[in-house]
Amino acid sequence: AEVAETRTLTFNASTLNGDGASVKIPQSHSVGALKEELRKQFNLSPEKILSVTLVDQKLGPDSVELQHLHCIRSVACPTLEVSVVTVSMVRVKRHIYNARGGAPPYRGSYLSSTEEIELDLTVSLGDQLHNIVPGDGARKGRGRREVAPRPLIWHSEEAPRKWGEGDVTVTAEPEELRHDCTLLPEIFANGGKSIVILIPMRGMD
C-alpha cells in the first residue's frame, strides 16, 4: 500500500479554447494542489475559480487527496485526460429541512429534500438570498419573523436526516446566512460546504 501512495499521476489538461498542458503530481497531493499547478501552467490568477473534470466527474473537494477519489482510483493508467474551465457560477448543495411537531423524540426538523442550486460568484450571498431560499420559504410576512426560514452555511456537503443529529462530521458550527452577508459564493467552490434551510412549522404542519 505504501508503494501505491508514492505513485505519480500525469494529468493531460485541456481547456475549451484548445489550450493544453501536462502536470505531474503525486497522488498523495490534494485536488487543490493540482488546481494550483494547473493555474501556473495556464497562467491564471489565484482569483480564478477552476473546475477540473475527469470524464464526467468533477474533482473535489479541494482538500481531498487525489488517491482518495474513486474516479481516479478506478483508473489503472497513471496518465489521465482532464478538462479545465474557469467558472463564473458555482453549484451548491441545498438541504431543506421542515419542522415537525409531536412528542419527543419525533419533534424536530427533518431533511425533506436535497438539490443543487447555481450561485453567481460575483454577487454576495446576502444579495442572492432570493435564489438561496426556496420560493415558498422566501415569503417574509409582516411581523412574523418567527416563521421565517433560517438559511445556514453548513460545513459539510452531507446532511443528517434529522437536524442536530451527530451522524455527519463537520469542521465548524453552522453560520447564519443573512441579508447583510457580504461573503461571496466562492467559499463553496472548493467543496466541503453546503447550504441548509430550516423551515419552521406553519399553520397545520
Side-chain angles (χ1 to χ4, degrees):
E2 292 185 4
V3 174
E5 290 179 3
T6 63
R7 186 173 70 150
T8 296
L9 299 171
T10 299
F11 289 88
N12 292 329
S14 59
T15 64
L16 292 176
N17 60 7
D19 293 334
S22 183
V23 169
K24 293 181 182 293
I25 189 170
Q27 66 173 8
S28 59
H29 285 203
S30 67
V31 175
L34 170 63
K35 289 182 179 179
E36 286 306 309
E37 290 300 317
L38 290 170
R39 284 192 183 91
K40 294 175 185 176
Q41 291 293 322
F42 290 114
N43 197 27
L44 297 172
S45 67
E47 292 77 23
K48 292 289 186 181
I49 304 298
L50 291 189
S51 175
V52 182
T53 303
L54 172 63
V55 190
D56 58 352
Q57 295 292 315
K58 187 170 75 170
L59 304 189
D62 278 17
S63 59
V64 173
E65 293 181 7
L66 295 166
Q67 63 189 350
H68 292 156
L69 294 176
H70 176 72
C71 61
I72 288 179
R73 291 166 56 190
S74 62
V75 178
C77 179
T79 300
L80 306 167
E81 305 291 331
V82 295
S83 59
V84 179
V85 296
T86 58
V87 295
S88 58
M89 304 287 287
V90 63
R91 296 183 68 86
V92 184
K93 275 189 179 180
R94 180 180 66 185
H95 308 288
I96 306 292
Y97 285 82
N98 286 94
R100 298 181 189 172
Y106 305 105
R107 179 187 297 272
S109 293
Y110 290 83
L111 183 65
S112 59
S113 67
T114 294
E115 59 273 321
E116 286 191 342
I117 59 173
E118 284 195 338
L119 297 177
D120 189 328
L121 285 167
T122 65
V123 180
S124 72
L125 292 173
D127 287 338
Q128 295 189 80
L129 276 181
H130 61 288
N131 291 328
I132 293 172
V133 179
D136 179 61
R139 294 175 299 180
K140 297 179 181 178
R142 296 182 179 179
R144 298 284 302 279
R145 292 188 62 184
E146 70 277 9
V147 300
R150 288 179 59 208
L152 304 169
I153 298 171
W154 177 237
H155 294 268
S156 173
E157 291 191 56
E158 304 306 314
R161 184 182 67 88
K162 182 181 179 183
W163 184 247
E165 288 183 345
D167 58 349
V168 173
T169 301
V170 293
T171 58
E173 291 296 311
E175 304 171 46
E176 293 278 354
L177 184 48
R178 302 181 304 200
H179 284 280
D180 58 358
C181 178
T182 58
L183 291 173
L184 292 173
E186 66 183 27
I187 65 171
F188 299 106
N190 297 332
K193 293 183 176 67
S194 58
I195 289 172
V196 163
I197 308 291
L198 300 179
I199 298 179
M201 288 189 295
R202 293 173 178 172
M204 299 301 292
D205 288 357

